[in-house]
Amino acid sequence: MMMTKTRLILLAGVATGIMLQPAMALDAQAFVDRVAEVYKTIGYDLEFGTATLDGDTITVDGVTVGLTQMAAEDGMEPVVIDTELTFSGVTEGADGSYKAASLTVPDIDTDFAEDPTGHLTLSDIRVDGIYVPAGDTIPAVAVLQLWQSASTGKLSVTRDGEEVISIDSITSNTTFNPEQGAAALTDLHSTFAANNIRLDLSTVGEEDASAGAVIEALGLTNISGNITQDVTWSMADGHMVINEAKFDFPQVGKINLKADLTGLTPAVLDQIYAMQAAMAASGDASEEQAQAQMMSTMALMQGVSIVGASVRYDDASLAGKLLEFFATQSGTDRATFVSGIKSMLPALIGQAGIPALTDLVVPPVSAFLDNPQSLEVKVAPPSPTSVLVLMAAAANPAGLITALGLGVTANQAE
């Protein structure tokens, strides 16, 4: 009987050991190395500090974030994040991929400039639903699924102790269909929001007196608002709809961009990534290489079509204040100043040599100048039209207006 119990205990221990083996096999350094390798695909050069494993939690002693060679040529210096990074709920898949439930970063509270003193605080930094794909080549469909959500609490920037920028919170969320990590991703929905942005521009004049005077005259010393974005994207036909990309500052005005495109499939993105990698590897391209790259880009654009797009501005006060300001600068009243602009519009637009454009633009712009409410530019081709076709149509600007279904309206409801 005693022997039987002993055997059962031994068997239970062996079984427990087998079940725990995958977790014990997790390697902290291999994880961060893989993260760095994957993010190099999208242009980031990450150098992680020492990584330590505790159960399914990996802590990392900071990271230096740089850009890969092609991006670095633009003069961007690496950013050193000298604080502990905590990846929680890390698991390794059978194929060598990784997932992490979350990444959290301690609150930032640091000076970044001396004269004048600049100070930055940022709280509640986290990323949830992290996916690190396996494989020597990272396909675009995997890149699109690297994380599910990211958020921060309040961001505050002070200048000599006075707050000049603050944002209550920043959130970004993506939902995937089917679940994150699927090779056959069907579609995704992504949202972004920077909530309650507040800007104090009263100190701009200390650096640039003329700019400060303009800001003061326009009553823009303190402004606030929100930035939001909403995007849906279907993989099969590359149908991307930007439902909104909105900059809404109620005391000033609102700008909203919308777009409807097809053909932006993962296969097209894969080709774009391959071209970028080839350009980075070749360094300074010869004239022949540059031409070949241009031809490749044009070939890619043949499959991307515009269904529609629009940019709309709704004025709250800015347009009227600008007209008042420039009228005063010109030594006249607003009505006279507006009449002068309207009289010059046909000649200014007519310089393009396209009568149809003058007929399209002058009436709505004139109406907006008389009564600034809204101004919208829309593109609505009769049928989805490839970017390449539109590039060819540009040789005949009058024909391009028709091909684009270009329209300009003023003071109309959304």
Side-chain angles (χ1 to χ4, degrees), residues 46 125 134 193 206 247 290 356 408:
L46 306 179
I125 308 162
E206 297 176 19
F247 298 76
V408 182

Side-chain angles (χ1 to χ4, degrees), residues 145-186:
Q145 303 179 74
L146 294 180
W147 47 269
Q148 291 180 333
S149 65
S151 62
T152 73
K154 183 175 180 179
L155 177 148
S156 176
V157 177
T158 61
R159 182 180 188 274
D160 285 341
E162 297 294 326
E163 189 172 66
V164 292
I165 302 173
S166 72
I167 304 176
D168 280 359
S169 63
I170 300 172
T171 60
S172 177
N173 295 285
T174 304
T175 55
F176 304 99
N177 180 32
E179 71 282 353
Q180 184 187 29
L185 179 66
T186 300

Side-chain angles (χ1 to χ4, degrees), residues 6 12 25 33 35 49 60 98 145 187 219 221 249-250 253 277 299 310 316 363 368 374-375 390 393:
T6 302
D33 287 347
V35 172
V60 187
Y98 294 91
Q145 303 179 74
D187 55 73
T221 52
F249 289 77
S310 67
F368 179 78
S374 69
L375 189 64
L390 294 176

